[in-house]
Amino acid sequence: MKLSKFTKLLTTIATLLCTEGYGQISPEEKGLNVISKDGSQAILTYLSSDWMEGREISSKGHANAADYLSSMFQLYGLQPIEKLYDPFAAIENMQYPKNRYFQNFGLLLLDKSNEQTLVITGKQGAASIVENFKFNTDFTTSDFIGHPFRSMSITAPIVFVGYGLTDTKNGYDDYKGIDVKGKVVLRLRGYPGHNDTTSIGYKKFKVERSNPYQYMNFEFDKNRYALEHGAVGCLEVNTLNESLIYQASNIFRYNLGPYESDTNPENEVNFLKMIIPLKDTMEKALAGFTISQRVANALLAASNFSILHFENSVKNSLKPASFEIKEQQVNLATKACWQLIGCKNILGVIKGEDTNQVVVVGAHYDHIGKYKGIIYNGADDNASGVAALLEIAKACRATGIKPKHTIVFAAWDAEEEGMFGSRHFLKNPLFNKIIANVNFDMISRNPAKDAKGTYCKVTYTAPMEYLKSNTERFINQHGLNLQVEYETDSKPSIGTDSDSFAEKNIPVLSFETGRHPDYHKPSDEASKCNLTKMTDIIRLGFLSVWEIANK
């Protein structure tokens, strides 16, 4: 049958329209098409290679990682932030200089010092007696008072303050009716009844040593109570365990966490060092030490006061027995050895139609370095998260369109030290409004409960249930092989950089796959990563970021 020219024309147009319609690829599909297992593996493998030396802050490998990431941001077409400037950069006038991707900030690293002094001055009859004690024999730096933050010398009276507690909830206050302003407090570790599970005090306070976060926060709060009441120093006694035993000089082998060594690794592995942010003001802190029980008993002997009797009495009576120790003074001389550490967040931008509201996509790139030549590569923690960051940046560019909201990609620094990079970013705002944070930390391993190798944990801010429903929709629509466990809270706190945003009431969405036996060990290597699962999580992450940025 012959068709008229007009009919042929209509048929041709219809065919073209159909072909055009079916041949169109959505921006999301364009982005998904550039995310690959090979690409993710290449990034993860390089970042966790021995050349990066574990990416410890202030190390050569850490600087290599920062340069690599800024180069990748430039390669993927992310814009630098105009306000940023690296004072150490030699070249300033390139079109997109790598230094303009750096948000620099400083940290203070506290090295341990043995130059600490404790002297007790007292009277015995007509005589004045000055007794000097030896560091790491009768006194040492304290777990909970902390290593000295400042070099100073204090001479002051001593006040016994029981456990050093001010607990309005339980109606117990060791500071009630006693003046400690300008004085040094002598306190006990623990709380009334801490060593007797049948006591009234134990049942009322019940701070479990088996819960490390609860226990540490409880003990650290005592420093705040002392400072609020005006104390300038503190001597602490641990009656459950003579805590100075571990300072013995005849220790020939050390077993500390993942380390077994002939020498003490404490001064050589970064997460056992004291690091604080550089501020415009001096850090306020107590000066003080943990003292041996024999020194404490000697201080209290003239007052006819027994620590053992006090603990046995107060555990049920809950009646403090604070008093000033007469005719005795203490001289504390502390030495703090600080060094300034330069750190940098790596920041890149995809500008949206609205540049005032931004979505921040983040992953930390630092790790814990090396010890005695053994490298802690940090493949899962967190080269895997950085691989997600870069792949998602590439995918967002591949969509070919501007998102509605600006997207900021951030490789955070110093997360292992206390999430200092993300906190610095939020304290020094570069954008008017952050509408959400999407975070990736440890997304490539299979925990013990993940027999199928498909487990992923997604944490999001309540009550924003669309973050959960979006995740479920993306998994179903795109055939992602993931079994997701959801966790939600009004301010999620999971020990990674998303916490910094949650603290500021910024909605968060965080991806992880959980702890594993290689966490913070040299065995956290790229060869153990589940690249298939990691790539599916990256695809899910891209879809989530793109959806939020276009809401």
Side-chain angles (χ1 to χ4, degrees), residues 26-71:
S26 69
E28 291 86 351
E29 290 295 336
K30 290 178 182 178
L32 286 172
N33 288 342
V34 302
I35 297 173
S36 68
K37 185 164 74 172
D38 287 344
S40 304
Q41 181 182 27
I43 297 166
L44 180 145
T45 303
Y46 183 61
L47 264 182
S48 61
S49 70
D50 289 348
W51 294 107
M52 297 297 176
E53 299 181 337
R55 308 185 304 280
E56 180 184 5
I57 59 169
S58 79
S59 70
K60 180 175 66 176
H62 175 267
N64 288 341
D67 273 350
Y68 166 71
L69 292 173
S70 60
S71 295

Side-chain angles (χ1 to χ4, degrees), residues 102-290:
F102 295 159
Q103 183 186 36
N104 294 279
F105 62 97
L107 296 177
L108 290 172
L109 168 64
L110 178 61
D111 286 336
K112 289 186 177 180
S113 171
N114 291 332
E115 297 180 44
Q116 315 295 342
T117 302
L118 175 62
V119 179
I120 304 295
T121 303
K123 286 187 177 181
Q124 188 171 330
S128 179
I129 298 175
V130 178
E131 187 167 7
N132 292 272
F133 295 95
K134 185 179 179 183
F135 185 63
N136 283 345
T137 297
D138 270 314
F139 75 100
T140 190
T141 50
S142 170
D143 291 338
F144 295 113
I145 303 171
H147 301 292
F149 276 22
R150 299 167 71 173
S151 297
M152 63 175 71
S153 180
I154 296 171
T155 300
I158 313 164
V159 180
F160 176 76
V161 292
Y163 294 97
L165 290 175
T166 295
D167 189 333
T168 53
K169 178 183 176 182
N170 289 308
Y172 183 90
D173 189 356
D174 282 308
Y175 289 96
K176 186 176 182 180
I178 192 77
D179 180 16
V180 299
K181 291 180 180 177
K183 300 172 184 178
V184 172
V185 296
L186 172 62
R187 76 183 185 210
L188 307 179
R189 183 81 60 85
Y191 54 90
H194 66 111
N195 55 353
D196 183 355
T197 58
T198 65
S199 67
I200 294 173
Y202 180 86
K203 292 172 183 176
K204 179 165 284 200
F205 292 95
K206 202 172 183 180
V207 179
E208 299 288 356
R209 292 177 67 92
S210 58
N211 184 334
Y213 294 109
Q214 182 193 32
Y215 178 68
M216 287 190 294
N217 288 335
F218 177 83
E219 293 293 342
F220 281 128
D221 278 345
K222 293 182 181 181
N223 299 331
R224 177 167 55 84
Y225 304 145
L227 288 168
E228 287 173 352
H229 285 89
V232 294
C234 179
L235 300 177
E236 184 181 64
V237 188
N238 184 354
T239 58
L240 278 184
N241 174 35
E242 182 57 90
S243 57
L244 297 185
I245 293 298
Y246 66 86
Q247 300 290 351
S249 58
N250 62 331
I251 296 176
F252 305 110
R253 194 151 196 87
Y254 292 82
N255 288 277
L256 189 60
Y259 307 100
E260 185 177 353
S261 173
D262 292 335
T263 58
N264 189 346
E266 283 198 354
N267 291 324
E268 301 183 56
V269 182
N270 76 338
F271 59 83
L272 295 173
K273 295 179 182 177
M274 177 67 70
I275 296 176
I276 64 171
L278 179 64
K279 298 179 180 178
D280 294 334
T281 56
M282 295 293 288
E283 195 77 15
K284 188 177 180 181
L286 288 174
F289 304 111
T290 293

